[in-house]
């Protein structure tokens, strides 16, 4: 077992006592007890024990990967007494005396934000000989100004006052331990300021619509505050002096999970910065109204999409300068929400803290959630039938007009997509395996209400298909083995998936079809379905029983279910083609995975890093790094090695 | 100047450049390894480099089995493998080139050095900011000529990893301009001429160097070309052995993805 806990507690005289144990429950009942798991920096090394330690040096590195590279490679046998943790104090070294700790700390003085030295007298931490160097605020950090509340009524005012306090706390913690999150502080402050100014405008209005909008905005403020407080708790856990605050998760109560939060920020900010630099929603919003219309009904028989190929109005073809300020999410760990995205936040499954190095809880799943935000922004500029006056676009659709410009054409293509999905879903519902005559329903003329109903019924599927296609291309490099493995390993643990397996199968087939040879709908479906079946069977050959995967295989092997899926695919294929022809951007794809640390060995891109290597490489693309790691992950959580590798992996990114 | 290379050494050479404060001369190297002959077979200077051809004594199996040498390679202490060693200072730090036709031999030498230096700072290896190198050649700031560039393709779904462009000036070609947004600089081959001699040196961004050596006289040109590349200000150091980032473990001779390049 490589995992052992470092624990402290207070005796009746108030002395701090130190202990190492295999099970935190052994000491958590004691007065002021706190624990955190430690792992040897070198896999296979001796598990942590205080038995032979005269002193502990707990380092808060600016870059754990750089510091560990030096410590493990350049200081001889000290590597065998070095441990890693989830917290900001992510590197812990056992030394014979406090003086040895001081000498070692001096070697890294420019590479740490702070450190503590615990000098031990038996199992007691000697306060006289222990040392703490607290972090100083990063000199580049500029704390955002509080937002004025004078113009607001009491409900909103209370929320904004709380926000100002929360932002202050965040700023203090982040400037000390995670100054790289500065842009997040500025962005959420700006986001809330925008909401506040809108609320101030609406206050004078007493019509129902204004009141509804105000309530919606106040709910937005409540959510921001809720997430920000959780984030402060997580990011600030394990702040110096260690042991002064209790992180209220027993397992990590002493050192917290600060480094894991920094790793999550690194992954998220790489995604966000890359997408923001390309600003697809902004480009579509600015460029499409100036471009001539195209034929949104062009695909003849919904088979031949080549006419769209000639258009050259993909986002990657447009030479617009990105302008839009990026929206920021707060990336935090959640056991309640798992991987989830909302306007203000992206949550990562809590399980990632100890199982990110598994196929089930791998961190690449965050890209799917991020892409939902990206797609929502794109479709937000294209079409919102809930808000806009859509009578003209309905009229254009009914007359099969192309619209006045490319933006209008894209709206019509969206309507065509939901009509297609509705039609094929209706048709699939008629498939009963007895070869009866199928009466196809094609809605020829829509009313405004019918369009809104179609939109509500099918927008989820449209968004999911676009997200899946882009995820498959941008993040997973079009690799079935990694993509299907990743999403179905994750889905197999989500209860709600079990109720809608055909839906998830259809989504996956749609993604895989984006790299199948172009052809008729049945041919593409069969090609993609065969690929999915092969990948699912491989997942099923693993040890853990997965009912959801079993059900997916059963659906694909059952002729009637397969026919139904094939019929529905004819609708989702339209969305696949829309995505490939208009929304996919090779330059963004390249930017997401660009990393000069990658080598090409035998035709395969890799960092060639083994678990336990500390090479001080500055990972430029967390996405490429995680993709390189994925094939070597264990299937599921539960082993020491998995948690050990999960920490090691995250520390490479910070 | 150098003796003529044995006919069996006329083949692609692979090299890595190591950095360590305890490696400032051939004497340091042979002392640390504890196997080599104290005297080099030959030595010469090339630009800032001091270069030696040195006999690294080890077991015979570091050579491919097909290389059948006579007893002239046998020494007291082992079999004599020719290694080129070059040393120079860069920004106050000592760098050493280790070059051989045999990757396995270089790995072995690296392992022995690592073991000898295990108590203190570890070896580091030179690698290259290839974007900067490309930019320098595009702007014409180097004396050398870049006749081949290799780019990593970033958006082709594993069907295409590397693309090479060869010609008199591929970096300023339309094709290069077209693919830059979806590609990353990976390797470069430069040419250097002096009198009637011409040599070509290739280097990738992770720090592997390779060249074809038909004549030891070209070795001097290789080191001069390396000097020029270093003078572009694109040299960096890292901790990963470049050989591990190019060759699978069982590879022994220097291999490019294409046929090894021969000089005229």
């Amino acid at each position: 077992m490589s995992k052992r806990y470092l624990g402290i507690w207070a005796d009746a005289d108030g002395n701090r006592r130190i202990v190492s144990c295999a099970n935190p429950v052994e000491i958590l009942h004691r007065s002021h007890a706190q624990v955190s798991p430690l792992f040897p920096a070198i896999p296979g090394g001796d598990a942590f024990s205080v038995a032979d330690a005269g002193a502990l040096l707990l380092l808060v590195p600016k870059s754990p990967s750089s510091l560990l590279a030096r410590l493990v490679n350049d200081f001889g046998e000290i590597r065998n007494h070095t441990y890693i943790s989830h917290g900001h104090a992510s590197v812990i070294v056992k030394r014979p005396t406090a003086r040895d700790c001081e000498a070692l700390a001096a070697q890294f003085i420019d590479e740490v934000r702070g450190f503590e030295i615990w000098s031990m007298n038996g199992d007691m931490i000697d306060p006289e000989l222990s040392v703490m160097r607290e972090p100083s605020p990063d000199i580049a950090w500029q704390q955002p100004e509080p937002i004025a509340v004078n113009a607001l009524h009491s409900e909103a005012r209370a929320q904004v006052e709380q926000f100002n306090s929360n932002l202050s706390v965040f700023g203090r913690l982040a400037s000390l331990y995670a100054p790289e999150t500065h842009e997040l502080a500025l962005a959420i402050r700006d986001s809330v300021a925008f909401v506040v100014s809108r609320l101030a405008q609406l206050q004078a209005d007493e019509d129902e619509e204004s009141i509804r909008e105000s309530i919606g905005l106040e709910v937005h403020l409540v959510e921001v505050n809720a997430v920000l407080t959780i984030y402060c708790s997580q990011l600030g856990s394990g702040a110096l002096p260690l042991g002064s605050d209790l992180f209220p998760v027993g397992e990590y109560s002493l050192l917290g999970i600060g480094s894991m939060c920094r790793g999550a920020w690194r992954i998220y900010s790489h995604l966000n910065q890359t997408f923001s630099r390309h600003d697809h929603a902004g480009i579509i919003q600015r460029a499409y109204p100036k471009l001539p219309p195209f034929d949104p009904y062009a695909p003849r028989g919904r088979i031949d999409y080549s006419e769209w190929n000639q258009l050259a109005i993909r986002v990657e073809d447009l030479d617009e300068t990105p302008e839009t300020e990026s929206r920021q999410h707060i990336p935090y760990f959640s056991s309640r929400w798992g991987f989830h995205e909302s306007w203000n936040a992206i949550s990562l499954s809590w399980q990632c803290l100890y199982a990110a190095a598994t196929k089930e809880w791998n961190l690449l799943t965050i890209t799917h959630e991020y892409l939902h935000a990206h797609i929502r922004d794109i479709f937000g500029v294209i079409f919102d039938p809930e808000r806009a006056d859509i009578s003209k676009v309905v009229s254009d659709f009914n007359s099969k007009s192309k619209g006045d410009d490319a933006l209008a054409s894209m709206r019509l293509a969206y309507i065509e997509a939901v009509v297609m999905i509705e039609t094929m879903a209706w048709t699939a519902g008629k498939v009963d395996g007895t070869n009866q005559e199928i009466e196809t329903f094609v809605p020829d003329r829509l009313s405004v209400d019918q369009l809104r109903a179609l939109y509500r019924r099918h927008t989820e599927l449209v968004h999911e298909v676009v997200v899946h296609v882009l995820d498959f291309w941008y993040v997973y490099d079009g690799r079935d083995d990694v993509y299907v493995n990743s999403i179905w390993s994750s889905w197999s643990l989500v209860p709600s998936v079990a109720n809608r397996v055909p839906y998830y199968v259809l989504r996956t087939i749609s993604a895989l079809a984006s790299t199948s040879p172009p052809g008729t709908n049945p041919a593409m479906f069969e090609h993609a379905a065969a690929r999915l079946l092969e990948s699912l069977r491989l997942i099923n050959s693993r040890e853990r029983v997965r009912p959801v995967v079993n059900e997916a295989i059963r659906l694909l092997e059952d002729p009637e279910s397969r026919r139904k899926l094939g019929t529905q695919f004819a609708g989702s294929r339209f969305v696949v083609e829309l995505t490939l022809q208009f929304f996919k951007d090779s330059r963004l794809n390249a930017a997401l995975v660009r990393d000069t640390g990658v080598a090409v060995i035998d035709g395969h891109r890799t960092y060639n890093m083994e678990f336990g290597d500390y090479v001080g490489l500055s990972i430029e693309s967390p996405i490429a790094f995680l993709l390189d790691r994925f094939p070597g992950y264990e299937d599921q959580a539960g082993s020491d090695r998995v948690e050990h590798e999960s920490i090691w992996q995250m520390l490479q990114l910070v | 100047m150098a003796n003529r290379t044995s006919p069996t050494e006329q083949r692609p050479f692979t090299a890595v450049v190591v950095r360590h404060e305890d490696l400032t001369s051939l004497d340091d190297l042979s002392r640390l390894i504890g196997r080599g002959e104290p005297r080099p077979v030959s030595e010469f200077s090339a630009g800032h480099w001091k270069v030696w051809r040195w006999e690294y004594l080890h077991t015979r199996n570091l050579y491919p089995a097909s290389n059948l040498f006579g007893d002239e390679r046998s020494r007291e202490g082992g079999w004599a493998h020719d290694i080129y060693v070059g040393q120079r200072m860069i920004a106050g730090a000592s760098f050493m080139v280790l070059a051989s036709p045999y990757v396995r031999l270089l790995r072995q030498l690296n392992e022995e050095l690592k073991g000898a230096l295990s108590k203190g700072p570890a070896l580091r290896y030179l690698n290259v900011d290839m974007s900067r190198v490309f930019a320098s050649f595009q702007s014409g700031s180097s004396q050398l000529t870049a006749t081949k560039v290799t780019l990593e393709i970033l958006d082709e779904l594993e069907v295409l990893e590397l693309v090479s462009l060869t010609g008199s000036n591929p970096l300023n070609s339309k094709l290069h301009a077209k693919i830059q947004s979806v590609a990353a600089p990976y390797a470069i081959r430069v040419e250097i001429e002096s009198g009637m001699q011409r040599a070509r040196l290739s280097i990738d961004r992770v720090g592997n160097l390779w060249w074809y050596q038909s004549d030891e006289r070209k070795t001097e040109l290789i080191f001069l070309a390396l000097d020029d590349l270093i003078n572009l200000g694109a040299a960096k150091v890292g901790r990963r052995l470049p050989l591990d980032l190019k060759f699978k473990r069982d590879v022994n001779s220097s291999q490019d993805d294409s046929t090894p390049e021969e000089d005229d």
Side-chain angles (χ1 to χ4, degrees), chain B:
Chain B
M1 182 44 194
N3 296 332
R4 204 170 172 82
T5 315
S6 150
T8 49
E9 306 296 347
Q10 290 171 10
R11 51 181 303 161
F13 268 69
T14 296
V16 296
V17 186
V18 301
R19 187 191 93 172
H20 199 280
E21 60 197 27
D22 291 343
L23 274 176
T24 63
S25 67
L26 180 62
D27 282 347
D28 285 344
L29 179 62
S30 67
R31 178 178 44 78
L32 280 168
I33 297 299
R35 288 176 192 259
E37 290 285 317
R39 285 208 165 75
V41 174
S42 61
E43 61 183 272
F44 57 92
S45 294
H48 291 92
W49 297 94
K50 189 88 191 291
V51 186
W52 304 269
R53 182 153 61 96
W54 173 65
E55 289 185 340
Y56 169 52
L57 299 186
H58 206 280
T59 54
R60 184 175 169 166
N61 65 359
L62 292 181
Y63 276 150
S66 55
N67 279 19
L68 299 173
F69 299 109
D71 288 339
E72 71 270 14
R73 305 304 291 175
S74 177
R75 306 277 185 272
E76 187 181 330
W79 197 259
H81 303 275
D82 278 353
I83 300 258
Y84 281 99
V85 178
Q87 187 276 337
R88 69 164 279 186
M89 302 298 287
I90 304 173
S94 177
F95 285 77
M96 184 168 278
V97 170
L98 304 170
S100 163
Y102 306 109
V103 172
R104 196 186 302 155
L105 194 156
L106 286 178
R107 284 195 198 283
Q108 178 62 34
L109 183 54
N110 181 73
E111 281 306 302
E112 296 202 23
L113 271 175
K114 270 176 64 175
L117 296 165
S118 63
K119 288 196 170 55
L123 287 169
R124 305 226 199 172
Y125 306 91
L126 183 136
N127 60 79
V128 173
D129 179 347
M130 197 55 73
S131 295
R132 195 161 169 170
V133 172
F134 275 30
S136 297
F137 278 92
Q138 276 177 299
S139 64
S141 357
S142 173
Q143 309 272 7
L144 308 173
T145 311
T147 55
K148 179 176 176 181
V149 294
T150 302
L151 297 114
E152 178 197 7
I153 301 299
L154 298 169
D155 73 325
E156 283 276 358
L157 303 185
E158 280 219 317
V159 298
L160 189 59
E161 299 291 350
L162 298 173
V163 156
S164 292
L165 307 179
T166 310
S168 60
N169 193 357
L171 277 171
N172 286 314
S173 65
K174 285 185 209 158
L175 183 55
H176 179 248
K178 211 169 168 64
I179 64 175
Q180 267 187 299
S181 64
V182 293
Y186 197 83
I188 194 167
R189 182 185 72 191
V190 299
E191 289 194 6
I192 181 168
E193 291 188 31
S194 175
M196 300 296 290
Q197 294 286 347
R198 185 180 67 145
R200 294 164 162 180
L201 170 65
S202 295
I203 183 167
D204 66 21
R205 70 185 183 199
V206 295
N208 292 289
L209 293 88
W210 64 99
W211 66 88
Y212 189 87
Q213 181 159 301
S214 58
D215 185 325
E216 194 175 85
R217 286 172 290 181
K218 292 184 195 277
T219 317
E220 183 179 348
L221 292 180
I222 293 298
F223 279 89
L224 289 174
L226 183 55
D227 253 0
D228 234 64
L229 285 171
I230 288 168
N231 290 343
L232 295 177
K236 308 181 291 170
V237 285
R239 294 183 183 269
R240 297 181 298 173
L241 175 64
L243 301 175
D244 289 340
L245 301 169
K246 182 175 167 74
F247 302 105
K248 291 166 77 171
R249 297 299 297 187
D250 56 354
V251 161
N252 193 26
S253 58
S254 176
Q255 291 176 18
D256 200 356
D257 288 324
S258 54
T259 307
E261 300 139 23
E262 298 198 12
D263 261 328
D264 299 340

Side-chain angles (χ1 to χ4, degrees), chain A residues 51 142 172 195-196 201 203 303 325 355 395 425 431 491 643:
Chain A
Q142 288 189 345
R172 176 171 60 80
V195 168
V196 166
Q201 286 172 351
Q203 271 180 168
I303 296 173
E325 288 274 338
S395 165
V431 171
W491 286 342
E643 185 168 5

Side-chain angles (χ1 to χ4, degrees), chain A residues 596-626:
Chain A
T596 54
V598 166
V600 180
I601 304 174
D602 201 27
H604 173 59
R605 299 178 76 245
T606 179
Y607 293 80
N608 205 30
M609 284 173 66
E610 301 284 334
F611 161 43
D613 283 348
Y614 296 95
V615 297
L617 188 65
S618 176
I619 305 288
E620 295 163 21
S621 169
I623 299 299
F625 179 72
L626 293 171

Side-chain angles (χ1 to χ4, degrees), chain A residues 338-643:
Chain A
F339 283 102
H340 180 73
E341 180 265 342
S342 62
W343 189 258
N344 299 297
I346 277 192
S347 63
L348 295 85
S349 288
W350 185 264
Q351 289 87 335
C352 294
L353 290 172
Y354 55 84
T358 63
K359 294 182 168 67
E360 290 175 349
W361 298 109
N362 78 88
L363 291 162
L364 284 170
T365 310
I366 191 179
T367 63
H368 182 94
E369 302 305 323
Y370 183 84
L371 279 164
H372 271 293
H374 171 67
I375 294 310
R376 191 172 55 239
D377 287 347
I378 287 181
F379 283 125
V381 303
I382 290 173
F383 193 41
D384 185 357
E386 300 288 6
R387 294 178 198 276
D389 175 6
I390 58 171
S391 49
K392 178 167 187 322
V393 71
V394 168
S395 165
D396 283 346
F397 178 79
N398 289 334
S399 63
K400 292 296 174 275
S401 157
K402 293 184 196 178
D404 300 328
D405 51 48
L407 188 61
S409 304
M410 184 55 74
R411 289 190 192 110
L412 293 163
Y414 193 106
I415 299 177
E416 180 75 358
V418 294
V419 165
M420 284 283 308
I421 291 171
E422 171 78 0
T423 305
M424 302 325 294
W426 187 89
T427 307
K430 298 277 287 180
V431 171
D432 59 11
T434 61
N435 293 323
Q436 284 183 2
E437 215 35 60
I438 297 169
E439 186 187 328
T440 306
F441 165 64
V442 178
D444 202 33
R445 297 184 67 80
L446 293 174
S447 67
V448 165
D449 287 342
Q450 280 176 323
L451 172 57
R452 287 202 168 115
L454 283 178
Y455 176 83
R456 285 176 201 138
R457 256 203 308 280
H458 299 302
T459 264
E460 182 190 335
L461 180 60
V462 170
H463 281 219
E464 288 291 357
V465 170
V466 177
V467 164
H468 275 296
V469 170
L470 293 181
D471 209 15
F472 186 48
W473 279 72
Y474 286 164
V475 176
Y476 290 88
D477 220 16
R479 291 168 56 180
D480 290 11
D481 58 332
V482 181
Y483 182 63
V484 176
N485 210 338
S486 176
I487 60 175
W488 280 88
S489 294
S490 301
W491 286 342
S492 67
L493 301 175
V494 178
S496 61
V497 173
N499 301 329
R500 302 173 80 190
V501 174
Y503 176 65
Y504 286 87
V505 169
L506 179 63
R507 283 163 49 170
T508 316
I509 288 177
S510 301
L512 298 184
S514 68
T515 58
S516 288
T520 62
N521 292 329
M524 287 185 69
F525 172 80
E526 288 302 324
H527 191 268
R531 287 158 63 189
L532 176 57
L533 193 52
E534 186 183 339
S535 294
L536 289 175
R537 284 177 179 146
L538 276 174
I539 296 173
N540 230 25
S541 66
R542 305 197 308 234
E543 203 179 304
R544 183 170 177 148
V545 174
R546 297 169 198 271
V548 153
V549 174
N550 286 341
E551 175 60 13
I553 292 173
R554 189 199 68 74
L555 283 171
L556 290 167
E557 289 176 341
D558 171 57
E560 181 174 329
S561 303
R562 202 170 168 112
R563 270 180 73 196
K564 281 193 176 182
L565 283 166
T567 307
Q568 289 173 301
F569 172 73
S572 63
R573 188 211 167 160
F574 188 92
V575 182
V576 172
E577 297 291 344
L578 206 64
T579 309
L580 292 175
Q581 302 298 342
F582 295 97
F583 303 140
K584 190 175 77 67
D585 185 345
S586 298
R587 299 164 309 177
L588 190 156
N589 195 167
L592 267 178
V593 297
R594 185 184 296 269
D595 193 328
T596 54
V598 166
V600 180
I601 304 174
D602 201 27
H604 173 59
R605 299 178 76 245
T606 179
Y607 293 80
N608 205 30
M609 284 173 66
E610 301 284 334
F611 161 43
D613 283 348
Y614 296 95
V615 297
L617 188 65
S618 176
I619 305 288
E620 295 163 21
S621 169
I623 299 299
F625 179 72
L626 293 171
L627 190 61
D628 187 37
R629 306 271 345 132
F630 184 92
Y633 287 161
E634 291 194 19
D635 289 342
Q636 62 195 82
S639 75
D640 243 20
R641 180 209 153 97
V642 159
E643 185 168 5

